[in-house]
Amino acid sequence: MTTRFLARRMLALALLAAPCAPVLADGGNAIYLCVDANGRKELTDNGRKGCKQLDLPGLIAAPPARRSEAPRPRAPVSTPGDFPKVDSAQQKARDDDRRAILAEELEAEEKKAAELRKEYKDGLPDRLGNERNYAKYLERVASLRDNIARTDKNIDALKRELANIK
C-alpha cells in the first residue's frame, strides 16, 4: 500500500469520527463562547460576563455528577444465634490434627525434593537407555528442574501454613 492511500484512509476515518456530539461534564445544556481582551476564544460550560451562548443542535448532556457521600459505617457482622460454636479444647485438637497433617506433608515433600536433587545432580543427571536422542535428555533435565522448583514452592507454602497455625 502506498503512503497516499494510507493517508486518505486515515483522513476518512477522522472525518467519520468528527460529527460526534459533545458531552457536557456537569450535565448542563449550554456551551458558551468567550473572547478575552487579547482576542483569544475559549469554549466553556460556565456562562460568564461577555460570553455568548452557542446553539448546538444534537447536544448530548451528561448525567449529573454524583454527590459524594461519606461512606456509611457498616454494622458489625454478628454470628447467628443458632450457628454452631466450637469450644477451645475441640479447636485446639483440630489445630493439632492440622499441624500433624501439614508436618507429614512437609516431610514427604522434603523427601521428594531430596530424591529429585539426587537424580538431577546439579543439572547433569545420568542419561537413560531410552535417551539416545539428546533432545529427550534435555527434556528430562528441564522436567526435573521444574519439578524441583515446584517442590520447593510446596515446601515454602507448607512452612508458611505451619507458621500460621496458632
Side-chain angles (χ1 to χ4, degrees):
M1 284 191 235
T2 66
T3 308
R4 185 176 288 169
F5 178 74
L6 288 174
R8 286 182 184 167
R9 280 271 172 123
M10 296 300 286
L11 179 63
L13 287 173
L15 290 175
L16 286 174
C20 295
V23 176
L24 297 178
D26 69 346
N29 291 325
I31 294 182
Y32 300 91
L33 176 64
C34 303
V35 181
D36 65 5
N38 296 331
R40 286 183 292 194
K41 294 181 180 180
E42 177 186 9
L43 293 174
T44 182
D45 58 351
N46 299 329
R48 298 184 302 233
K49 185 177 180 183
C51 294
K52 177 181 165 186
Q53 183 175 352
L54 299 178
D55 180 30
L56 299 173
L59 181 68
I60 300 173
R66 293 183 182 174
R67 291 178 288 172
S68 61
E69 296 178 7
R72 296 179 189 168
R74 293 185 180 184
V77 179
S78 62
T79 306
D82 60 344
F83 196 79
K85 297 189 183 207
V86 179
D87 64 344
S88 61
Q90 187 176 11
Q91 185 62 45
K92 184 172 178 3
R94 288 179 181 178
D95 289 343
D96 290 342
D97 290 344
R98 182 172 178 227
R99 186 178 291 110
I101 291 169
L102 289 172
E104 287 176 17
E105 289 181 14
L106 178 61
E107 185 180 336
E109 286 293 321
E110 286 174 339
K111 189 183 293 185
K112 179 180 173 184
E115 290 172 3
L116 287 170
R117 282 192 175 83
K118 182 179 174 185
E119 183 181 352
Y120 186 63
K121 293 185 181 178
D122 292 328
L124 299 170
D126 297 330
R127 284 180 83 164
L128 301 177
N130 64 350
E131 294 175 336
R132 293 184 186 152
N133 185 350
Y134 190 64
K136 280 188 178 185
Y137 171 75
L138 292 178
E139 278 181 32
R140 186 170 65 90
V141 171
S143 174
L144 283 171
R145 183 176 48 245
D146 292 343
N147 287 340
I148 289 171
R150 187 177 312 110
T151 304
D152 288 343
K153 286 181 183 178
N154 289 345
I155 289 171
D156 291 340
L158 287 168
K159 286 180 179 178
R160 277 193 309 272
E161 285 294 318
L162 280 169
N164 288 337
I165 296 177
K166 297 177 182 176

